[in-house]
Amino acid sequence: MADQCHMERLRLLPFAMLLPLGCVGCLQLEQEVILAADGSGKLTFGMTMREATVAEVRQASAAAQLGAAVDPTAVFDRQKTERDLREAGFELDSYKAEQKANKRTVALAASFADFATLQRCPLNGTRAEWVLKKGPKPGTAKLTLYPQGRTAWLEARKKAAELQVQAAAGTIDPMVAGFFRKRQQQLAGLDLKFRVQLPGDVLLWTKTWKKTGNREVTAHVRAADIRTPEDLVRRLAPRFEVVFDSRGLQLPLQ
């Protein structure tokens, strides 16, 4: 039971997990996944957080009793991180955590043997869904990540559309507007980056990505990008989807 609790505490979403806590100022987070043709791969993860923010996140997590993500800052503990990655099927290749100048930093690298292991990655959160299936044309594959799950993405998309209509009509609830302004202030300094390298050339991608290489897409979210309540809702439960050349792929597709 104790190990189960540690696993739940570690789970962290690169984009959606920390935003609801409302105390992520000066948070820098970067994650990269390198996917090989046989479904194996490597990931790297780095995070920098002010010491005061660490305390705020832990306090907010405990007060909110967030269940599947009780303590996102547990990634600063090597023993817990290594255990949770190992239980999910990962091998920790390197780990370094430091505390200096009122900030904490962590950088780690890990390997996984197959796509099913990536789907269980504790760094992507308990609700995350990785899906790899056939693409729209023969010889293509589609990789999709729902950090909060597909259902949450659908709900967020619906809510964002409602907010867009309200904004155009000038009828946004003052309480919603006030909540958003407060979140904007709390998100100052936020800088999140998520990059995926694929085993084939990138062909199509959703606007949540930018193509940053022939076989690479990157998502980048900064505080300045969250300008409206609609922006915030979409980033709480996003979808990242990319279609790539699968002719060299060595694993079955859905």
Side-chain angles (χ1 to χ4, degrees), residues 7-33:
M7 186 68 167
E8 296 302 303
R9 281 197 293 268
L10 173 60
R11 295 185 181 275
L12 172 67
L13 293 178
F15 292 98
M17 177 48 231
L18 288 173
L19 291 176
L21 297 180
C23 46
V24 295
C26 295
L27 170 71
Q28 296 177 326
L29 190 153
E30 185 168 351
Q31 181 174 337
E32 179 179 52
V33 172

Side-chain angles (χ1 to χ4, degrees), residues 76-88:
F76 292 117
D77 185 312
R78 176 173 183 145
Q79 184 177 2
K80 293 177 182 177
T81 302
E82 186 168 13
R83 178 175 57 243
D84 293 349
L85 285 169
R86 184 176 63 248
E87 289 179 354

Side-chain angles (χ1 to χ4, degrees), residues 68-141:
V70 174
D71 183 7
T73 63
V75 72
F76 292 117
D77 185 312
R78 176 173 183 145
Q79 184 177 2
K80 293 177 182 177
T81 302
E82 186 168 13
R83 178 175 57 243
D84 293 349
L85 285 169
R86 184 176 63 248
E87 289 179 354
F90 287 81
E91 180 178 347
L92 184 64
D93 299 322
S94 64
Y95 180 96
K96 183 178 182 180
E98 293 183 312
Q99 183 176 358
K100 59 182 180 181
N102 298 319
K103 290 184 179 180
R104 289 196 188 192
T105 63
V106 61
L108 66 86
S111 304
F112 54 94
D114 50 45
F115 186 72
T117 300
L118 176 62
Q119 291 175 305
R120 299 190 298 269
C121 179
L123 296 173
N124 292 134
T126 55
R127 300 182 182 89
E129 297 178 30
W130 287 89
V131 181
L132 182 61
K133 58 171 50 176
K134 293 180 180 179
K137 295 182 179 180
T140 67

Side-chain angles (χ1 to χ4, degrees), residues 2 28 34 49 109 121 136 160 166:
Q28 296 177 326
I34 302 174
M49 187 182 292
C121 179
Q166 293 171 12

Side-chain angles (χ1 to χ4, degrees), residues 26-244:
C26 295
L27 170 71
Q28 296 177 326
L29 190 153
E30 185 168 351
Q31 181 174 337
E32 179 179 52
V33 172
I34 302 174
L35 185 65
D38 63 357
S40 66
K42 296 181 178 295
L43 70 83
T44 59
F45 177 93
M47 184 165 69
T48 298
M49 187 182 292
R50 291 185 309 174
E51 188 66 36
T53 304
V54 172
E56 291 170 4
V57 168
R58 287 176 173 169
Q59 183 179 4
S61 299
Q65 297 182 344
L66 293 179
V70 174
D71 183 7
T73 63
V75 72
F76 292 117
D77 185 312
R78 176 173 183 145
Q79 184 177 2
K80 293 177 182 177
T81 302
E82 186 168 13
R83 178 175 57 243
D84 293 349
L85 285 169
R86 184 176 63 248
E87 289 179 354
F90 287 81
E91 180 178 347
L92 184 64
D93 299 322
S94 64
Y95 180 96
K96 183 178 182 180
E98 293 183 312
Q99 183 176 358
K100 59 182 180 181
N102 298 319
K103 290 184 179 180
R104 289 196 188 192
T105 63
V106 61
L108 66 86
S111 304
F112 54 94
D114 50 45
F115 186 72
T117 300
L118 176 62
Q119 291 175 305
R120 299 190 298 269
C121 179
L123 296 173
N124 292 134
T126 55
R127 300 182 182 89
E129 297 178 30
W130 287 89
V131 181
L132 182 61
K133 58 171 50 176
K134 293 180 180 179
K137 295 182 179 180
T140 67
K142 181 167 64 176
L143 177 67
T144 307
L145 170 62
Y146 301 98
Q148 289 281 39
R150 185 174 184 273
T151 299
W153 168 69
L154 289 171
E155 292 174 351
R157 187 173 66 167
K158 179 181 178 181
K159 182 61 178 177
E162 293 173 356
L163 289 170
Q164 187 176 33
V165 171
Q166 293 171 12
T171 59
I172 288 185
D173 188 323
M175 291 186 63
V176 172
F179 174 83
F180 170 69
R181 286 193 295 271
K182 182 178 180 181
R183 281 292 184 264
Q184 264 192 318
Q185 295 172 356
Q186 294 167 334
L187 293 172
L190 182 71
D191 192 338
L192 310 178
K193 186 178 291 186
F194 183 47
R195 181 167 53 251
V196 175
Q197 292 189 27
L198 298 150
D201 288 348
V202 172
L203 303 174
L204 299 168
W205 57 96
T206 53
K207 63 181 180 180
T208 47
W209 290 119
K210 284 188 177 180
K211 183 179 178 182
T212 50
N214 289 337
R215 297 188 171 189
E216 179 184 278
V217 286
T218 301
H220 194 182
V221 176
R222 292 157 292 194
D225 300 321
I226 304 175
R227 302 183 183 93
T228 67
E230 178 192 349
D231 291 337
L232 179 61
V233 168
R234 290 188 183 279
R235 282 162 176 78
L236 287 175
R239 178 191 66 168
F240 303 106
E241 192 166 87
V242 57
V243 175
F244 63 96

